[in-house]
Amino acid sequence: MPEAAIRRVAARRIEARVAGLFRTEANGFETVSIESLNLGFEGISGDRHGGSTRRTGGREPWYPRGTEIRNERQVSILCPDELAGVADAMRLPEIRPEWIGGNLLLTGVPDLSWLPARTLMMFENGASLKVEGDNAPCRQSGRAIAARFPGRDDIETGFVKAARRRRGLVAWVEKPGALRLGERVEIRLPEQWIYEG
């Protein structure tokens, strides 16, 4: 393959802080704010998105719905800037992480949703997450937001469009441990080879 068909981006590190921690209660979609979050290899124990495996849905049309696959979506990661941008685009006063099932809110990372797959998030207290990729917005999140703003029939589907590439990331637990509010996170972006062939 000619060298011009591949573009290389060097590895680098950035720092973030944990600004919010959340988990689901029972089988609900929305999350509640908590002070610390215990991560195991199965993700967040008892959380709706926890488990070593998961069942496929509309995000994996290449498998029959309900096929069991590895769970690479154990943790939903968001940032305040992107949430504010989506709220502004939708003419809403706010969108809270809890409403859309977020587990982790990070500050200090502009354009969080654009971090590449394989990015490693190393937390001050020892846990680490491996980014699988961006979290495509869904109508379920739109419905949860719409429930807070009666009379706005445009929100459920409008969220999908407004939050595209601003919905945050999904990740899986690489090293178990406890996350705490305010702790430092070292984000290690991998060297990337952008295939343009």
Side-chain angles (χ1 to χ4, degrees):
M1 176 175 295
E3 187 66 29
I6 297 177
R7 189 164 41 94
R8 180 183 168 278
V9 179
R12 66 188 183 106
R13 298 177 186 192
I14 56 179
E15 188 173 298
R17 290 263 174 206
V18 174
L21 296 167
F22 314 90
R23 60 163 289 140
T24 57
E25 293 184 325
N27 290 327
F29 168 75
E30 296 183 34
T31 53
V32 295
S33 180
I34 54 176
E35 295 294 315
S36 66
L37 195 59
N38 292 318
L39 301 177
F41 285 119
E42 75 287 348
I44 304 164
S45 182
D47 188 83
R48 180 177 192 264
H49 292 108
S52 298
T53 62
R54 67 180 181 88
R55 300 286 178 181
T56 58
R59 296 177 193 273
E60 301 85 20
W62 46 90
Y63 295 119
R65 192 175 284 260
T67 301
E68 186 176 22
I69 61 171
R70 173 187 168 82
N71 186 5
E72 79 295 1
R73 301 177 56 82
Q74 293 175 335
V75 181
S76 172
I77 308 166
L78 301 163
C79 79
D81 297 342
E82 290 181 332
L83 289 174
V86 175
D88 186 56
M90 297 180 69
R91 299 179 333 273
L92 297 172
E94 68 175 340
I95 295 176
R96 300 183 55 105
E98 302 96 320
W99 300 349
I100 59 174
N103 297 120
L104 175 60
L105 186 69
L106 294 180
T107 58
V109 188
D111 301 314
L112 174 86
S113 296
W114 290 85
L115 291 180
R118 294 182 33 242
T119 294
L120 182 61
M121 296 184 173
M122 302 186 75
F123 294 82
E124 187 175 0
N125 288 320
S128 63
L129 294 173
K130 185 71 70 116
V131 171
E132 174 66 21
D134 70 309
N135 192 4
C138 64
R139 290 181 65 175
Q140 185 174 14
S141 293
R143 277 193 298 277
I145 297 167
R148 272 112 182 140
F149 301 97
R152 288 284 308 273
D153 296 337
D154 61 313
I155 292 176
E156 182 178 331
T157 56
F159 174 76
V160 175
K161 181 178 179 183
R164 186 174 165 86
R165 297 189 181 95
R166 295 193 287 190
R167 172 61 173 87
L169 302 166
V170 289
W172 49 272
V173 177
E174 181 167 89
K175 183 174 178 286
L179 307 186
R180 308 249 183 261
L181 283 173
E183 87 175 274
R184 187 178 62 80
V185 188
E186 181 182 274
I187 297 177
R188 297 183 177 191
L189 284 78
E191 181 178 54
Q192 300 165 69
W193 299 273
I194 309 301
Y195 179 77
E196 297 177 332

